[in-house]
Amino acid sequence: VGDIVVVVRGPPHLEVVRRKERMAGVWVNAESVSFREVPSFYHVASTRPLSEIAPPRALIGMELGVDRLKFQRVGASAPGDEMFRKALLRNKQRDPLYTKGYGKINLLGRRLFRTMVVFPTIVPTGTYSVDVLLFRDGRVVDTETTPLSVHKVGLGADIFNFAHQQSALYGVIAILIALMAGWLAGAMFRQR
């Protein structure tokens, strides 16, 4: 049958990675590097560890696995780019928008399989791509790409849409709520 690899990628974005530096007792942004076309979310699931499915050169070429992702730097490359690339990966894994390792695929028959992808609450909305690759003898013999729409629902979506469509009114309401909360807290502490 072969091995199956599923790759879920979020919409690409421009990402800026900054290095902080302490100057006169205050942390300030020092050097920064921008990377274009960085997947906002990245998850890999496979039937076996990737190193057992294909040779390293093939995995690097297809960017399968978090450590094999290549990021295009905006502007000319510089000697310290690898440090910024590692920082970007570390931040994405901490959030957790990039999963460490790989997810497991369960085979339910000769042509049916199942895997689980957990999306964190901070996952960006948009159209994701789900790539399913079938490997035999270390080579891809078939691929299937499916779009996956990720969007907010419920009260959170309503507030998000209102904040973006009526930003001035949203700002006024937020200020009024903060003022009322401050007044209420002040009134409660005065009574004591």
Side-chain angles (χ1 to χ4, degrees):
V1 171
D3 288 295
I4 299 168
V5 176
V6 175
V7 182
V8 181
R9 286 185 175 93
H13 292 290
L14 176 73
E15 295 280 347
V16 180
V17 182
R18 293 179 175 85
R19 186 172 56 83
K20 302 272 186 195
E21 198 171 89
R22 193 173 182 118
M23 297 180 85
V26 178
W27 288 98
V28 295
N29 290 332
E31 190 179 356
S32 68
V33 173
S34 298
F35 295 100
R36 68 170 63 97
E37 300 294 313
V38 176
S40 54
F41 178 82
Y42 186 84
H43 176 81
V44 176
S46 57
T47 50
R48 295 188 295 158
L50 294 174
S51 59
E52 296 176 13
I53 293 175
R57 174 174 263 157
L59 296 173
I60 291 169
M62 290 183 279
E63 297 184 55
L64 290 179
V66 170
D67 294 333
R68 296 177 190 94
L69 287 173
K70 300 172 192 157
F71 302 126
Q72 285 186 317
R73 184 187 203 274
V74 175
S77 60
D81 285 355
E82 185 60 22
M83 175 182 66
F84 286 95
R85 180 189 169 283
K86 286 180 180 177
L88 175 60
L89 285 174
R90 187 177 57 248
N91 292 342
K92 291 284 191 179
Q93 288 175 335
R94 181 195 65 224
D95 283 344
L97 294 169
Y98 287 16
T99 54
K100 297 175 184 176
Y102 68 97
K104 187 75 175 139
I105 292 179
N106 297 315
L107 297 174
L108 304 174
R110 289 185 51 81
R111 295 179 184 223
L112 192 60
F113 64 90
R114 179 175 64 194
T115 188
M116 190 166 173
V117 179
V118 177
F119 291 102
T121 56
I122 63 166
V123 73
T125 58
T127 303
Y128 288 53
S129 70
V130 180
D131 299 318
V132 179
L133 302 110
L134 176 62
F135 280 85
R136 281 198 194 110
D137 301 321
R139 291 179 292 133
V140 176
V141 293
D142 198 9
T143 63
E144 176 86 24
T145 300
T146 305
L148 173 67
S149 179
V150 174
H151 57 276
K152 297 180 184 295
V153 295
L155 181 62
D158 295 339
I159 293 171
F160 177 85
N161 290 334
F162 179 71
H164 285 83
Q165 293 168 358
Q166 304 288 331
S167 56
L169 183 58
Y170 177 80
V172 170
I173 292 171
I175 290 170
L176 290 174
I177 290 172
L179 288 172
M180 287 175 50
W183 176 81
L184 185 62
M188 286 174 45
F189 285 112
R190 260 190 305 240
Q191 290 178 356
R192 289 184 169 200

